[in-house]
Amino acid sequence: MKNPFETPERKAFRESVEAFVAREIAPHGEAWDEAGDFPWDIHEKAGALGLFGFAIPEEYGGNGFDDAFMRLDSGIALAYGAPGGVNASIGSRNIMTGPIVTLGSEEMKRAVLPGIVSGREGGALAMTEPSGGSDLSRIRTKARREGEDWVIDGEKTFITGGMKARWYVVGARTGGEGFGGISLFLVEWGAPGFSRTPIERKMGWWSSDTATLHFDGLRVPAQNQLGQEGLCLLAIMNNFNYERLALAAGCLGMARRCLDDAVEYAKIRETFGKALIRHQAIRHKIAEMSARIDALHAYLLHIAWTINDGGMPAAELAKAKFLASKTAEFCASEAMQILGGAGYLRGQAVERIYREVKVMAIGGGSEEIMKDLAVKQMGL
Ligand SMILES: Cc1cc2nc3c(=O)[nH]c(=O)nc-3n(C[C@H](O)[C@H](O)[C@H](O)COP(=O)(O)OP(=O)(O)OC[C@H]3O[C@@H](n4cnc5c(N)ncnc54)[C@H](O)[C@@H]3O)c2cc1C
């Protein structure tokens, strides 16, 4: 169907991202995933396309504008053609620039944003701890003030982009219990008291670098504290909303890829004297996948329109996030069923996506937490 929100600028942007993914990533993606790494110039090429510059002023290297439809389209295109690990690694900077733009000092923005937005340097958001990620009100990493410094002790885990980043936005407790006692700090790799270890052997996202970060008496200058002490987590709630939009877009791209690969296979594979796609049971699977994908896309377009209109529909983003991961999970399962044994083989996008759907259901606000949040937002 025609997208009523399409403009020549959005079309041109979407096509440039799709071409970048098809040319630079797709031919190597599965090999990079097997190798567990990919070349750094992909970050820089993605940066040159403007993928990290939304809502960031031009003076810091950003796009100088925001557009939720473009965010949506780039998320869909990347997830359609790139392994989730590449997508997650380059995208990890998008969840750490928001707090810097919103809460950082002028000096901090000038020091950090140009390198991150251009893709020359890596960035990560470090919230989750070994003791848990869903309930951020219970963050245990502590920061205490000593003269002109903050001294940080604790651990963060599952940090995407964490092994290669130069800059980290880290949540740490500076006050009493609950959300109100948490502050955010900009931490640079290389300082004494900061070490990082890789998390390997993940179920999916093989080509992304995921780290556990260890802070052992790490000193950061007082000016590296972001925003108002103790109130930072509340101040960056919109950051989580944009992360949910990106993850939902990613799920849509994954679901579409599963549908397209399944249709392509079903057209050429023959069973019982006719093409697989001529069997009613297979046609029903395709209809069901296609309907769920269309519905999700329509929902995300409406959400993008609302964001562009100045709103931030937190309840709808929460609902879209779990609807999206459920859609991706359904489509991955049905597509693999259509591909049969061929779908079970490494090197098939459907096989990889089948492994990657779970992190979409867990990361950035799990399905259970999103459902809870949505119902809370209904005032129930
Ligand atoms: C590959 C990967 C990359 C990640 N990247 C990052 C990153 O870059 N930065 C970062 O900070 N974090 C990152 N995360 C962490 C992610 O955000 C957390 O895994 C997620 O928030 C869930 O936290 P948890 O794993 O500690 O599960 P827990 O909080 O321990 O929860 C365990 C399970 O119980 C469920 N649950 C929890 N509370 C409730 C409840 N009240 N009712 C019902 N069910 C509940 C959860 O949904 C989950 O399924 C990443 C995770 C993965 C796997």
Side-chain angles (χ1 to χ4, degrees):
M1 283 187 297
K2 200 169 173 214
N3 172 358
F5 308 108
E6 184 86 305
T7 62
E9 293 78 17
R10 288 182 187 136
K11 182 169 184 282
F13 176 74
R14 191 187 67 246
E15 287 174 353
S16 73
V17 181
E18 286 169 353
F20 160 69
V21 174
R23 188 182 61 242
E24 304 282 349
I25 302 178
H28 318 286
E30 302 299 334
W32 289 342
D33 220 34
E34 290 286 344
D37 201 4
F38 63 98
W40 191 264
D41 71 350
I42 294 299
H43 293 257
E44 294 171 6
K45 287 173 179 169
L49 277 179
L51 295 186
F52 314 132
F54 291 113
I56 299 179
E58 283 177 279
E59 58 192 297
Y60 310 121
N63 297 344
F65 68 92
D66 199 0
D67 184 69
F69 294 106
M70 289 186 183
R71 288 183 186 245
L72 193 56
D73 281 343
S74 55
I76 296 168
L78 277 158
Y80 186 92
V86 173
N87 197 359
S89 262
I90 65 174
S92 69
R93 48 172 66 74
N94 275 338
I95 55 173
M96 64 79 74
T97 48
I100 294 174
V101 173
T102 315
L103 305 172
S105 64
E106 182 60 26
E107 196 188 356
M108 191 186 286
K109 289 177 195 171
R110 289 194 184 285
V112 176
L113 292 175
I116 296 282
V117 173
S118 66
R120 287 193 308 277
E121 291 171 351
L125 180 71
M127 291 292 169
T128 304
E129 304 192 340
S131 58
S134 300
D135 185 3
L136 292 180
S137 72
R138 297 184 62 198
I139 279 180
R140 293 181 183 176
T141 294
K142 283 205 167 66
R144 62 176 198 282
R145 190 70 189 254
E146 269 191 23
E148 286 308 297
D149 293 336
W150 285 96
V151 181
I152 304 180
D153 287 286
E155 251 184 349
K156 297 287 172 181
T157 196
F158 286 122
I159 307 308
T160 304
M163 287 306 293
K164 294 184 179 174
R166 175 176 175 193
W167 300 103
Y168 299 79
V169 171
V170 176
R173 186 164 300 285
T174 52
E177 286 182 4
F179 273 122
I182 296 164
S183 299
L184 293 179
F185 297 90
L186 176 71
V187 170
E188 187 174 4
W189 170 243
F194 180 8
S195 57
R196 54 192 185 189
T197 45
I199 297 178
E200 287 160 347
R201 300 177 57 76
K202 302 188 294 284
M203 179 179 179
W205 285 13
W206 292 343
S207 47
S208 69
D209 58 308
T210 315
T212 299
L213 312 178
H214 317 269
F215 309 120
D216 186 9
L218 167 70
R219 300 187 89 86
V220 299
Q223 60 267 27
N224 281 27
Q225 192 238 310
L226 286 144
Q228 201 182 336
E229 188 185 323
L231 292 179
C232 294
L233 219 47
L234 299 171
I236 64 156
M237 281 303 162
N238 266 356
N239 200 55
F240 296 128
N241 285 322
Y242 281 115
E243 182 180 9
R244 283 163 203 160
L245 180 69
L247 288 166
C251 288
L252 179 55
M254 292 157 78
R256 276 191 183 163
R257 178 62 184 270
C258 288
L259 174 61
D260 287 357
D261 284 10
V263 167
E264 194 183 322
Y265 187 80
K267 280 180 181 169
I268 52 168
R269 184 74 170 179
E270 284 194 9
T271 67
F272 300 95
K274 56 184 178 184
L276 207 47
I277 202 155
R278 294 284 136 224
H279 293 285
Q280 192 180 42
I282 300 298
R283 299 172 75 78
H284 284 189
K285 287 186 193 301
I286 289 167
E288 182 92 4
M289 291 160 80
S290 178
R292 293 188 192 201
I293 287 169
D294 288 350
L296 176 62
H297 191 206
Y299 195 23
L300 291 177
L301 287 176
H302 196 171
I303 288 172
W305 177 85
T306 308
I307 295 172
N308 274 7
D309 194 46
M312 185 45 83
E316 284 67 33
L317 278 162
K319 287 185 275 185
K321 166 79 176 33
F322 71 74
L323 192 67
S325 51
K326 285 286 179 216
T327 301
E329 194 169 25
F330 175 81
C331 291
S333 177
E334 293 296 76
M336 185 169 289
Q337 204 64 24
I338 292 172
L339 265 74
Y344 199 68
L345 299 178
R346 294 258 281 271
Q348 282 281 0
V350 168
E351 183 273 340
R352 173 180 51 72
I353 291 171
Y354 191 87
R355 285 185 282 99
E356 290 175 348
V357 290
K358 265 298 168 194
V359 70
M360 308 303 270
I362 294 169
S366 67
E367 286 180 358
E368 292 80 4
I369 299 302
M370 291 300 92
K371 288 177 184 174
D372 248 13
L373 176 62
V375 176
K376 256 187 223 148
Q377 296 275 338
M378 293 174 196
L380 302 170

